[in-house]
Amino acid sequence: QVHLVESGGGLVQAGDSLRLSCAASGLTFSSYGMGWFRQAPGKEREFVASINWSGGVTYYADSVKGRCTISRDNAKRTVYLQMNSLKPEDTALYYCAGNRRGYASTSFTHYDSWGQGTQVTVSS
């Protein structure tokens, strides 16, 4: 059974940084594309960043481009999201997702497995 467990969220001030982690088990991690999505209260889930199986392809939402970096360590079966210069509008529940087909995608419909999420709250 696939398990994705996010960590690293918290309450920070605007301008601070956070690094989210997603530890995977129950899957061949090195063959999975991985993504980060977020959902704020009253809003739809939105794409944040994604990375393909090798780490050679990455995509970012325009809202986080230049402030966030997605990376992965296949040996540790972990994907990361480094977030810098955080803004109050980044406040959301952040989800890690896995795509068994291996490619990076911006669409949540391409992901087969999801974590429970980690909360990020940015105060102004």
Side-chain angles (χ1 to χ4, degrees):
Q1 188 173 358
V2 175
H3 285 287
L4 300 175
V5 180
E6 303 94 335
S7 61
L11 172 62
V12 297
Q13 293 187 331
D16 286 350
S17 297
L18 279 176
R19 188 175 82 155
L20 306 184
S21 299
C22 172
S25 61
L27 72 163
T28 306
F29 181 77
S30 59
S31 67
Y32 267 62
M34 301 298 295
W36 287 96
F37 292 78
R38 67 187 181 186
Q39 188 165 18
K43 295 188 176 181
E44 293 186 350
R45 178 172 35 184
E46 66 171 351
F47 167 75
V48 178
S50 61
I51 189 167
N52 77 329
W53 63 275
S54 69
V57 177
T58 57
Y59 297 120
Y60 296 93
D62 288 343
S63 58
V64 304
K65 199 171 294 182
R67 299 189 297 120
C68 291
T69 302
I70 188 170
S71 61
R72 65 189 298 157
D73 185 333
N74 285 345
K76 294 183 178 179
R77 305 168 66 85
T78 302
V79 62
Y80 306 97
L81 183 68
Q82 176 69 43
M83 301 190 296
N84 301 324
S85 302
L86 283 161
K87 305 175 181 181
E89 50 264 44
D90 293 318
T91 295
L93 188 60
Y94 282 71
Y95 296 94
C96 169
N99 168 19
R100 67 177 185 269
R101 300 162 194 83
Y103 55 84
S105 175
T106 63
S107 172
F108 73 89
T109 62
H110 293 169
Y111 291 86
D112 316 289
S113 303
W114 292 84
Q116 294 299 306
T118 185
Q119 179 67 39
V120 172
T121 303
V122 185
S123 64
S124 58

